[in-house]
Amino acid sequence: MKKVEAIIRPEKLDDVKAALNALDIKGVTVTQVSGAGNQKGQKNYYRGAVVELALLPKVKIEIVAEDDRVSAITGAVAKAAKTGAIGDGKIFVTNVEEVIRIRTGDTGDGAI
């Protein structure tokens, strides 16, 4: 099993959700986060003064899936989230040793 974490632009969330629904992905966690990478934040003007915001609003999507579905998931997320501009985000894939469904006690792939 793998955990796919994607940090994307907030305005691309609906596109990514639609792409995941097309793959019949049901277990998704979405969190509002802040961060900065190559964008280095942004400059705003408040009453004529420049105010630098070091962190930008982003959305983190987390999915745990079977190994054979990861490439389809990452491809769908990357395609749906891409604008071609700096700040589109990143996708991280990590190993998951165990999954346990609390309600039933199911483990492994059956708990996803």
Side-chain angles (χ1 to χ4, degrees), residues 9-62:
R9 296 172 181 269
E11 63 269 19
K12 297 303 283 180
L13 179 59
D14 288 338
D15 295 340
V16 171
K17 285 191 316 188
L20 292 173
N21 283 337
L23 293 176
D24 199 32
I25 302 298
K26 293 181 176 42
V28 178
T29 301
V30 177
T31 310
Q32 303 293 324
V33 296
S34 297
N38 289 339
Q39 272 180 300
K40 308 269 192 281
Q42 64 185 9
K43 290 182 182 178
N44 283 344
Y45 293 92
Y46 179 72
R47 296 188 176 179
V50 175
V51 178
E52 281 202 44
L53 302 174
L55 302 175
L56 298 172
K58 299 288 181 179
V59 172
K60 179 164 79 167
I61 300 169
E62 298 172 279

Side-chain angles (χ1 to χ4, degrees), residues 47-88:
R47 296 188 176 179
V50 175
V51 178
E52 281 202 44
L53 302 174
L55 302 175
L56 298 172
K58 299 288 181 179
V59 172
K60 179 164 79 167
I61 300 169
E62 298 172 279
I63 304 158
V64 175
E66 297 88 354
D67 291 348
D68 59 342
R69 300 195 74 195
V70 170
S71 131
I73 291 169
T74 56
V77 170
K79 183 177 179 184
K82 183 176 182 177
T83 68
I86 292 176
D88 277 351

